[in-house]
Amino acid sequence: MLTHAIRFSAHGGPEVLRWEALELPDPGPGEIRIRHHAIGVNFIDTYHRTGLYPVSLPSGLGQEGAGVVEAVGPGVTEFRPGDRVVYCGGSLSPVGAYSEVRNFPAERAVRLPDDISFETAAAVMLKGLTAQFLVRRTHRVQPGDTVLIHAAAGGVGLLLVQWAKRLGATVIATAGNDEKAELVRAHGADHVIVYTRENFTERTRALTNGRGVDVVYDSVGRATFLGSLDSLRPLGLMVSFGNASGKVEPFDIGLLAQKGSLFLTRPTLFTYIAEREDLLAMAEELFTALRDGWLDVQIGQRFPLSQATEAHRALESRRTTGATLLLP
């Protein structure tokens, strides 16, 4: 069947993205064909586009989508045409969510409950599961913990703030301007640092009476890495899970000893959901949080699928808040 998708043939800036027609074959063994109703845009997509996380070219793009199953391939028994599904890709499945229709491994898809919209699902699946594993598994946030969350007005950041507060933590968050700071505060942060005019390390130390925080969740990367280490208490945990400002420079691991026998981890969602039973259990916890009403998903921007270039420009220029969607 003929369909359209965003593809690219060279690594580079948003301008390398192209809206192309392509012929989609029938789903193969173990695959389902999904017609997208909403597609999530994530910072990892820019890493694939630029080559920071290389993909074989030419390539599609995108890891997260929600839609309806149109056909199933040989051997698929869990899904049937008409089922609502959502997915967030990963190392076990190909990129290519920026498309009207695609074939996708059935074992990596999750049935979408009827009471959760396609837009909410596409906005929250990758980011929500990321927030879930960060506060429930990478560091099990406990009542009384104090956490520092960078880029707190972003898609993952806003969910992290809410989830950490739900688990009883004191949340210190950073944001780039007053408007974003108000958004973060409205979602439960106890303290918000506008990093463009305050030194977040000094402010964090002041807020914790010099002690430092138990854990830092840092998706910014190069610009905040050393300051994040300096914000931790002795034996604190640095969770570096993104590179929005660029890849972290190599450093002497002796710094971890000098700064208080610190712990450092660089986790990825796709390790945590590699086993299907983990994927389904984490998704169910996420869906329950949405149903219970305490997890608010902010969709800040919507772009037509064909305008993915503009979505990437907005994301990389820090002009977005919450989740960004592409709509076929």
Side-chain angles (χ1 to χ4, degrees):
M1 64 175 291
L2 185 67
T3 187
H4 292 83
I6 295 291
R7 296 183 62 79
F8 63 112
S9 299
H11 294 299
E15 68 279 358
V16 302
L17 302 180
R18 298 284 184 267
W19 177 242
E20 297 181 0
L22 67 154
E23 189 68 29
L24 186 69
D26 291 337
E31 291 185 331
I32 56 178
R33 186 171 74 213
I34 303 170
R35 180 167 292 278
H36 289 128
H37 287 236
I39 299 151
V41 177
N42 297 281
F43 240 101
I44 193 172
D45 304 343
T46 71
Y47 303 159
H48 289 143
R49 192 203 72 225
T50 62
L52 179 62
Y53 295 173
V55 294
S56 298
L57 300 177
S59 177
L61 193 63
Q63 303 237 324
E64 180 179 38
V68 174
V69 176
E70 285 195 335
V72 301
V76 175
T77 58
E78 188 173 349
F79 300 102
R80 64 183 62 185
D83 284 347
R84 306 169 80 247
V85 293
V86 62
Y87 65 86
C88 61
S91 58
L92 302 178
S93 54
V95 296
Y98 290 16
S99 56
E100 294 174 323
V101 186
R102 74 174 300 192
N103 294 329
F104 189 78
E107 69 173 0
R108 306 312 302 165
V110 175
R111 192 180 303 278
L112 180 62
D114 291 339
D115 57 350
I116 298 175
S117 72
F118 291 117
E119 288 198 4
T120 295
V124 79
M125 191 64 174
L126 189 147
K127 302 172 192 67
L129 292 184
T130 298
Q132 193 269 356
F133 87 76
L134 288 173
V135 299
R136 299 278 285 127
R137 298 179 69 185
T138 302
H139 172 81
R140 294 187 67 88
V141 172
Q142 304 292 327
D145 282 354
T146 301
V147 306
L148 173 62
I149 299 171
H150 286 301
V156 174
L158 277 179
L159 300 176
L160 268 177
V161 168
Q162 295 173 74
W163 217 310
K165 280 302 297 181
R166 178 74 175 183
L167 293 172
T170 296
V171 174
I172 302 171
T174 70
N177 57 46
D178 289 328
E179 181 181 1
K180 290 184 176 182
E182 284 304 311
L183 178 66
V184 174
R185 196 171 286 109
H187 282 78
D190 296 283
H191 310 281
V192 184
I193 302 167
V194 179
Y195 65 83
T196 51
R197 64 169 181 259
E198 294 183 272
N199 181 302
F200 74 83
T201 302
E202 293 177 358
R203 183 72 177 132
T204 297
R205 285 285 176 184
L207 289 168
T208 58
N209 295 317
R211 173 181 180 270
V213 298
D214 298 286
V215 58
V216 178
Y217 293 109
D218 190 333
S219 62
V220 177
R222 180 185 300 160
T224 54
F225 183 77
L226 293 177
S228 291
L229 293 181
D230 286 335
S231 301
L232 285 164
R233 65 164 172 81
L235 305 180
L237 173 62
M238 167 67 174
V239 183
S240 176
F241 70 100
N243 310 288
S245 68
K247 192 174 180 180
V248 174
E249 302 277 350
F251 73 101
D252 180 353
I253 64 170
L255 281 175
L256 301 178
Q258 295 170 22
K259 294 179 183 295
S261 300
L262 304 178
F263 294 86
L264 167 66
T265 185
R266 180 60 174 87
T268 69
L269 169 64
F270 308 122
T271 306
Y272 283 84
I273 62 171
E275 299 297 328
R276 181 159 180 78
E277 62 184 27
D278 291 328
L279 169 64
L280 295 179
M282 291 168 65
E284 183 54 38
E285 185 170 352
L286 175 60
F287 295 155
T288 298
L290 294 171
R291 285 197 194 94
D292 289 349
W294 60 263
L295 192 66
D296 177 38
V297 180
Q298 289 283 308
I299 300 173
Q301 303 73 217
R302 295 172 175 85
F303 295 85
L305 173 58
S306 60
Q307 295 180 18
T309 297
E310 295 307 312
H312 275 226
R313 287 184 176 132
L315 189 67
E316 291 181 301
S317 65
R318 308 285 182 90
R319 290 185 283 116
T320 62
T321 57
T324 300
L325 295 182
L326 299 175
L327 302 179

